[in-house]
Amino acid sequence: MDASTADRLIESTRELLWERGYTGTSPKAIQLRAGAGQGSMYHHFSGKADLAQAAIRRTADEMRAKAEAQFAAPGPALDRVTAYLRRERDVLKGCPIGGLTQDPEIMADPALREPVEQTLAWLRGRLAEVLQEGRAAGELSESLEPGATAATIVATLQGGYVLARAAGSPEPFDRAVDGVLGLLAAHSTSVQS
């Protein structure tokens, strides 16, 4: 019962939650995908909810780390936001965190909902900080409201995932990103050539 078994169980749960949702993710399916027995699962975790919470937290931590890599990079704020918005994503699978909000069982359980809620709040807050940095550096106009704009960016991304999945094509997501970048560009103070 080593750490690698626990890791395989968490990774398998992450995959299954994204593919099937909480209800469709049975302990047996987790064990089969992880190549672990029932005893191993219950040695490391108290049950499905405990394992799901560990999986959601790992997904949230990973999502934050990927976003932070773009937000903390050198360069103008708009370039950093653009890098975040244009980074490679598996659009047709949806957002691994935002998609969990569609799962009634996860949203009904405060312990499972908490990392989802915290991650989306962190994303809005971190985007607002980057936009504020752009304003302070004179890169973005004072008329841009960082908090509201950050909320708009996150809502656009999440809606873009939904539209792409409905269309069976990443094109609606890409157009949504183009649209939000166009709105941000209108607040840029750099001279357009």
Side-chain angles (χ1 to χ4, degrees):
M1 320 268 187
D2 54 59
S4 67
T5 300
D7 189 60
R8 286 195 325 270
L9 287 163
I10 291 170
E11 287 303 310
S12 296
T13 303
R14 288 176 61 186
E15 293 167 8
L16 289 165
L17 285 173
W18 202 5
E19 293 167 15
R20 304 179 182 182
Y22 187 78
T23 302
T25 300
S26 69
K28 190 68 176 166
I30 295 167
Q31 293 160 22
L32 283 171
R33 186 164 293 193
Q38 183 176 357
S40 293
M41 181 175 151
Y42 290 103
H43 170 77
H44 292 287
F45 303 96
S46 63
K48 176 180 163 180
D50 186 36
L51 186 49
Q53 186 175 13
I56 293 167
R57 286 199 185 283
R58 182 175 292 178
T59 298
D61 291 346
E62 214 173 76
M63 185 176 146
R64 286 183 193 199
K66 284 181 185 175
E68 186 58 28
Q70 273 109 25
F71 297 151
L78 192 52
D79 289 355
R80 291 182 281 148
V81 172
T82 300
Y84 168 72
L85 292 172
R86 295 242 187 256
R87 81 168 189 228
E88 191 173 319
R89 293 173 163 86
D90 194 347
V91 173
L92 295 181
K93 284 183 81 176
C95 176
I97 289 295
L100 296 174
T101 64
Q102 300 302 309
D103 192 313
E105 287 193 58
I106 289 176
M107 291 297 98
D109 184 329
L112 296 177
R113 185 181 67 246
E114 180 186 27
V116 173
E117 189 177 347
Q118 285 178 347
T119 300
L120 293 172
W122 174 86
L123 183 57
R124 288 189 309 271
R126 193 63 183 98
L127 275 163
E129 288 172 8
V130 173
L131 295 170
Q132 180 56 43
E133 289 170 19
R135 273 182 48 176
E139 301 163 12
L140 296 168
S141 72
E142 287 295 317
S143 64
L144 181 133
E145 205 298 304
T149 304
T152 299
I153 292 169
V154 173
T156 299
L157 282 179
Q158 293 304 315
Y161 281 117
V162 170
L163 295 173
R165 291 187 75 179
S169 165
E171 192 267 338
F173 181 92
D174 295 339
R175 287 190 45 84
V177 167
D178 290 345
V180 83
L181 287 173
L183 294 171
L184 287 172
H187 286 279
S188 175
T189 58
S190 68
V191 177
Q192 305 295 319
S193 50

